[in-house]
């Protein structure tokens, strides 16, 4: 009986589903993905107790995961229906990547830290997401050899969207990025138009790490 009481009070995936709903997410496919993709498999072992709380958790190298309800808002804004090619910038340990893989046809995720690439690939494969491409590289350059994409999700902040990401997004595709200096952002939703990006709306205010790369901040800048 004691074990049953403990399991009743411990946070579970349903806590993340409720948090996503409270953030305004209604996409039933996304909510089911949050329910069934185990976040505990995508956080460091030392952070396992926080896996089903609606909080970011630290990753090696000074990185941090995105808060689950914010992940849900950003993914929902892409409007995925099942067959899309998606480009993700910033893999981390791969939980958001796994959600995208449940919702889209193919996912390419670019991560600049080699240790995170290795860890994300391992964790995604262990959960049956071996077809996801996790690429080591400069996220601001995207992955042009796999373009065009129907949706782009950027998980780090810069005052504008890098030009290569715009170029790799098909006409009519959607892009979500936190726009700002790093630490105080507006998460923006855009649509690719023939003449460039058109802003659709602001999703929320948030705090993100900086986007580093050739079309972002210089490494080591502050």
């Amino acid at each position: 009986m004691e074990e049953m009481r403990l399991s009743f009070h411990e946070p579970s995936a349903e806590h993340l589903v409720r948090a996503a709903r409270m953030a305004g997410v209604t996409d039933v496919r996304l909510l089911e993905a949050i329910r069934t993709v185990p976040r505990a498999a995508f956080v460091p072992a030392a952070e396992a107790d926080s896996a089903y709380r609606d909080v970011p958790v630290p990753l090696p190298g000074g990185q941090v995961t995105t808060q689950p309800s914010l992940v849900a808002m950003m993914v929902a804004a892409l409007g995925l229906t099942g067959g899309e090619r998606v480009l993700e910038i910033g893999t981390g340990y791969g939980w958001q990547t796994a959600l995208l893989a449940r919702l889209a046809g193919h996912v390419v995720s670019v991560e600049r830290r080699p240790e995170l690439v290795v860890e994300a690939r391992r964790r995604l494969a262990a959960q049956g997401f071996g077809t996801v491409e996790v690429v080591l590289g400069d996220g601001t350059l995207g992955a042009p050899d796999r373009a065009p994409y129907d949706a782009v999700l950027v998980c780090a902040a810069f005052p504008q969207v890098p030009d290569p990401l715009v170029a790799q997004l098909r006409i009519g595709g959607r892009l979500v990025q936190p726009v700002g200096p790093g630490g105080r952002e507006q998460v923006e939703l855009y649509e690719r138009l023939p003449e460039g990006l058109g802003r659709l709306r602001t999703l929320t205010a948030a705090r993100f790490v900086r986007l580093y790369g050739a079309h972002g901040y210089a490494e080591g800048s502050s």
Side-chain angles (χ1 to χ4, degrees):
M1 294 297 293
E2 182 66 22
E3 183 177 351
M4 290 178 65
R5 287 198 297 271
L6 287 172
S7 64
F8 179 81
H9 291 291
E10 287 172 356
S12 69
E14 290 301 325
H15 289 74
L16 301 185
V17 172
R18 286 197 293 271
R21 285 184 172 134
M22 289 179 65
V25 174
T26 59
D27 184 332
V28 294
R29 295 175 63 243
L30 175 54
L31 294 172
E32 183 62 18
I34 293 169
R35 179 178 290 112
T36 56
V37 176
R39 191 180 184 226
F42 295 95
V43 301
E47 303 297 332
D49 288 347
S50 299
Y52 296 109
R53 301 182 188 279
D54 188 32
V55 295
V57 300
L59 297 176
Q63 301 300 293
V64 64
T65 69
T66 306
Q67 183 176 351
S69 59
L70 180 52
V71 168
M73 291 175 63
M74 294 170 71
V75 172
L78 296 176
L80 302 174
T81 60
E84 297 88 353
R85 291 182 62 82
V86 180
L87 175 63
E88 178 188 46
I89 307 304
T91 316
Y93 269 15
W95 185 65
Q96 178 177 273
T97 318
L99 296 181
L100 291 169
R102 281 284 179 87
L103 300 174
H106 187 73
V107 179
V108 178
S109 186
V110 182
E111 172 58 53
R112 70 189 183 95
R113 293 184 173 272
E115 70 277 15
L116 294 184
V117 169
V118 171
E119 202 55 44
R121 285 174 177 167
R122 181 181 71 81
R123 291 169 184 263
L124 286 162
Q127 295 299 317
F129 295 99
T131 60
V132 172
E133 293 187 72
V134 180
V135 179
L136 176 64
D138 178 350
T140 69
L141 299 177
D145 56 331
R146 295 161 175 83
Y149 301 98
D150 302 293
V152 177
L153 182 54
V154 184
C155 305
F158 194 62
Q160 60 265 355
V161 177
D163 289 340
L165 302 186
V166 179
Q168 292 167 40
L169 183 62
R170 70 164 179 81
I171 304 298
R174 289 187 166 197
L175 182 147
V176 171
Q177 178 181 310
V179 175
R184 53 184 189 279
E185 280 68 59
Q186 298 294 316
V187 182
E188 303 287 359
L189 171 63
Y190 300 91
E191 181 180 3
R192 175 69 197 278
L193 305 173
E195 63 273 19
L197 280 185
R199 178 181 167 277
L200 294 179
R201 68 178 186 274
T202 299
L203 301 181
T204 188
R207 298 178 64 181
F208 280 81
V209 298
R210 284 184 159 192
L211 179 65
Y212 291 98
H215 293 265
Y217 288 104
E219 191 71 42
S221 62
S222 60

